[in-house]
Amino acid sequence: MRFEILRLDDVDGAAVDSTVVDAASVNGIVQQAAAIGQRILIRPAGSASS
């Protein structure tokens, strides 16, 4: 399964960056974001994602 990770702006919560990763990569990204206090949104990637 693949997931879309959106990095969110600290001020208004708008998505500033997006990437699609496999399930095995999600934990590492969450750990990294938590370590630096970065806000992210994780959602299943649709078939239309690039």
Side-chain angles (χ1 to χ4, degrees):
M1 182 166 204
R2 297 181 61 78
F3 293 90
E4 182 178 19
I5 310 288
L6 294 103
R7 298 184 192 281
L8 305 177
D9 183 76
D10 289 335
V11 176
D12 63 7
V16 294
D17 186 20
S18 165
T19 189
V20 176
V21 299
D22 62 4
S25 301
V26 173
N27 186 45
I29 292 170
V30 169
Q31 295 286 336
Q32 182 181 26
I36 63 173
Q38 186 174 52
R39 295 171 58 194
I40 60 174
L41 172 68
I42 303 170
R43 62 185 178 194
S47 58
S49 295
S50 48

